[in-house]
Amino acid sequence: MRVAGKLAGMKRLGLLASLLLVFALIPGAASAAAAFPRMDAATVDGFRWTSGTTFDTYGARIAALERQLPARGLPEILSSANRKARPLCHGTYLAAALKPAGFCWEDANDDKTNDWIPQGLTGSGDADAATGKVGGKRVVAASWHTPGDTMVRLSFVDATGLGYRHVLLVEPTSNDNFAVVQGHGHGMTWIGNRLFVATTGGVVRVFDTTHFWKVDDSSGVVGKGSDGKYHAAFYDYAMPQIGAYWYPGGGACTNAPGPRPCLSTMSFDHSDGSIVTSEHISNAAGSRVLRWPFDRATGLPKVSADGTVHAKEGFVSPVWGMQGAVARNGYFVMTGVCPEYAGVAGDHPSCLHGGVGGTSTSRLSGQAPVNSQNLSYWPATGELWLMNEQLRERVTVHVPWTTLTGRA
């Protein structure tokens, strides 16, 4: 009887383990909920951006510089691709039922070294929500930074043919010269022709995909060299900043409760027309997630009567080490640390967390690529895109939003 009882117990434990495994593999299945509270409206309203006179200043400088550096468009960047991504080649840790698809970077420095590290992610699915394409192509755009945050570059990838090219971000400093944009390239989103890039924690720089400059690639100089030619650190193309937004009064942002939440991720919520940002707190929860109003008529953040952009909604995230956030119809998906790895040193698979702002979030089933970063939702195809930075495991991948979240 004792042996039989033990066997019966073992069978029950085996059945339980099997059920837990099946549950873990079901997309949309989630762990216990954690509070995702709404922030006080007055506090949220205190978070503001200003653009000063940057659009006028840079506009005049770009007009002058383009007498020597004629503007090139995105079609030229894509058609002259000089690198080739690979079909998805690394593991993603995502549930197989999600059927993750995407690509790996070229089998060279972009995948195998930390000379440049990927961060922000957006694409044609953001730029044109109706078709998901720009110039008839599905395009992925990614931001990268150097280890010392001395430069920021963008990659434009033909998501079908997998050809891609890097361009260096630059700031027009006069009517005759430009300088490198420094920063981390934390997050980015693409709306119409404009790219919004959170290059440093408290600054969003704006770029235009109808303005690329073909430069001489023979020098590591950025700007006008002693040879009289324009250079972009050995790259063939530079992309000039057309404007910027920052917190009024200057000062550093803070990755902890304080007056200026760092802008460590960025996405666009197509369901309510707002830019979503959040901060990154490396060893804790409590990141503040903010919505910023967007004016589709101007193609820029919506300015209030006082001349600044006021955040319109905010939440405090329970996700540890949050890296990315995107929203649709009030439901957020966020990348961050898996609960079992909270406070554990080392590189581990990330997790996707989902929930309604103002109520709660839960860990969505399975895991995600190690050190997952930003997120982007493409309405035309219902795809959730994500990217990670882990050396030799770098992937850019998409999964069906509805399958993952259980929501339309």
Side-chain angles (χ1 to χ4, degrees):
M1 288 294 293
R2 289 182 180 176
V3 173
K6 288 182 179 179
L7 288 173
M10 291 174 66
K11 288 180 179 178
R12 285 195 296 270
L13 288 173
L15 177 60
L16 177 59
S18 298
L19 289 172
L20 289 173
L21 177 61
V22 170
F23 180 80
L25 293 175
I26 298 173
S31 65
F36 187 23
R38 186 181 301 275
M39 295 176 65
D40 174 79
T43 300
V44 172
D45 187 66
F47 302 135
R48 302 178 184 185
W49 291 344
T50 182
S51 62
T53 61
T54 55
F55 285 92
D56 290 338
T57 299
Y58 291 134
R61 292 173 181 173
I62 288 170
L65 279 159
E66 288 185 348
R67 297 188 189 108
Q68 304 175 71
L69 296 167
R72 312 295 181 94
L74 183 61
E76 179 172 326
I77 301 301
L78 294 172
S79 65
S80 66
N82 59 350
R83 289 172 171 80
K84 187 80 169 182
R86 296 166 288 165
L88 194 59
C89 62
H90 298 311
T92 68
Y93 297 92
L94 293 159
L98 292 171
K99 298 180 180 179
F103 61 86
C104 296
W105 299 101
E106 185 178 62
D107 186 20
N109 287 356
D110 292 346
D111 187 54
K112 294 180 176 179
T113 77
N114 276 331
D115 293 343
W116 289 88
I117 304 165
Q119 290 292 305
L121 174 71
T122 184
S124 56
D126 279 323
D128 189 330
T131 68
K133 298 180 179 181
V134 170
K137 293 181 178 292
R138 281 165 53 85
V139 181
V140 171
S143 62
W144 306 64
H145 67 95
T146 55
D149 290 350
T150 56
M151 294 187 283
V152 181
R153 74 181 185 191
L154 302 186
S155 304
F156 292 91
V157 187
D158 179 339
T160 303
L162 298 184
Y164 69 98
R165 178 180 280 284
H166 302 309
V167 303
L168 190 72
L169 297 187
V170 300
E171 176 184 4
T173 54
S174 70
N175 289 350
D176 190 48
N177 212 347
F178 56 84
V180 68
V181 167
Q182 297 186 333
H184 202 73
H186 295 278
M188 60 190 293
T189 194
W190 185 356
I191 310 167
N193 288 330
R194 294 188 175 119
L195 278 163
F196 299 82
V197 185
T199 52
T200 53
V203 178
V204 176
R205 298 177 191 257
V206 188
F207 302 84
D208 190 322
T209 55
T210 65
H211 290 271
F212 296 90
W213 293 338
K214 183 74 168 66
V215 295
D216 186 275
D217 66 357
S218 65
S219 171
V221 169
V222 177
K224 196 170 188 177
S226 57
D227 58 1
K229 299 177 181 179
Y230 289 99
H231 305 279
F234 298 112
Y235 288 105
D236 292 294
Y237 291 88
M239 190 176 194
Q241 175 180 340
I242 67 166
Y245 294 89
W246 64 92
Y247 289 118
C253 61
T254 55
N255 276 333
R260 297 181 176 89
C262 282
L263 309 171
S264 299
T265 185
M266 180 173 287
S267 63
F268 191 69
D269 183 347
H270 298 273
S271 62
D272 89 333
S274 65
I275 292 175
V276 175
T277 65
S278 70
E279 60 190 339
H280 168 71
I281 303 176
S282 60
N283 293 310
S287 298
R288 290 164 290 183
V289 182
L290 300 174
R291 287 187 186 275
W292 303 86
F294 192 80
D295 187 341
R296 293 185 184 276
T298 63
L300 295 168
K302 187 174 183 179
V303 176
S304 295
D306 65 357
T308 66
V309 181
H310 296 224
K312 70 173 190 175
E313 193 173 39
F315 307 93
V316 179
S317 169
V319 177
W320 270 61
M322 201 165 87
Q323 292 281 8
V326 68
R328 172 173 169 76
N329 295 328
Y331 186 89
F332 288 80
V333 172
M334 296 167 281
T335 52
V337 176
C338 297
E340 63 267 31
Y341 299 130
V344 179
D347 295 318
H348 306 285
S350 297
C351 274
L352 295 171
H353 307 256
V356 176
T359 57
S360 64
T361 69
S362 300
R363 169 185 172 172
L364 298 174
S365 66
Q367 295 178 322
V370 177
N371 289 329
S372 292
Q373 299 293 305
N374 278 209
L375 298 165
S376 174
Y377 173 72
W378 295 17
T381 52
E383 296 165 345
L384 176 70
W385 283 80
L386 62 94
M387 182 175 69
N388 75 325
E389 68 174 17
Q390 186 67 11
L391 191 65
R392 300 185 184 88
E393 296 183 35
R394 290 173 181 165
V395 295
T396 304
V397 63
H398 61 85
V399 298
W401 172 276
T402 299
T403 308
L404 174 70
T405 65
R407 291 170 170 259

